[in-house]
Amino acid sequence: MNDHVHDLALLNDAMDRLLARASELDNAAVAEPSRLPGWTRGHVLAHLARNADALLNVLAGRPMYVSAEAREADITRDAPRPLEAQLQDVRATADAFAATADASADWSRTVELRNGVTDSASRVPFRRLVEVELHHVDLGIGYELEDLPEEFTGREIAFLADRFTGNASVPPTTLTAADGQRWTTGGTDGDPVTVIGGAADLLGWLAGRRDGSALTASGGPLPVLPPL
């Protein structure tokens, strides 16, 4: 069972870390490229704010976004704003999400996210935590995958491994971290592949943040993962 109370506490801490670091930027730095292709840091901050709104919609039983085009348009509209406007928006939407989540009932219900994906309401706080932690890294302001809390890293590896499980384009794959943790993913056809590396590198590869060059594959080449 997902512990939404625990995840909301983790989310609060993660948001505090992100806002503290982002507040050290200036307007010029917000306009500089982030680590996400084609996005400035302003795009990342705008996305974080709009994602909080979107997950509020999910908890309220509304569509997460009006459309994919509207989602992109909102981020593009908000990306050029100065730092203080970005921070106020991220903080206000985070507070609104936290207030609604604290009052939300029936965490066992099924909710619908983007593209028809469904999940338990109890996992929405963790999904929001993923957005905050990974996009903090994407800002490129001194917070790296290695700085992510160990609990989060392990859970996100498991979440992404599960996402690729059953995908016929990925061979049956065993992931092994340096500390001995193991996960399985991929389909059932093809020669089994074992991928070994540090937890941060495994997460970076699964999440599309690293190319996997720091990992060691045996039984076959490092699998090519489909886009998330």
Side-chain angles (χ1 to χ4, degrees), residues 44-110:
V44 175
L45 293 171
H47 167 62
L48 281 169
R50 302 289 70 79
N51 174 261
D53 290 341
L55 289 177
L56 280 176
N57 287 336
V58 168
L59 291 177
R62 298 186 294 267
M64 187 169 180
Y65 294 101
V66 173
S67 66
E69 294 77 15
R71 172 183 178 272
E72 295 301 321
D74 287 347
I75 295 170
T76 300
R77 177 198 66 208
D78 295 340
R81 297 175 301 178
L83 174 65
E84 190 54 37
Q86 297 280 13
L87 295 179
Q88 287 179 358
D89 194 14
V90 172
R91 187 179 293 110
T93 52
D95 289 346
F97 177 83
T100 297
D102 283 343
S104 188
D106 188 11
W107 285 98
S108 65
R109 72 191 188 279
T110 298

Side-chain angles (χ1 to χ4, degrees), residues 7 51 78 83 94 145 156 216:
D7 288 344
N51 174 261
D78 295 340
L83 174 65
L145 293 173
E156 178 62 355
T216 300

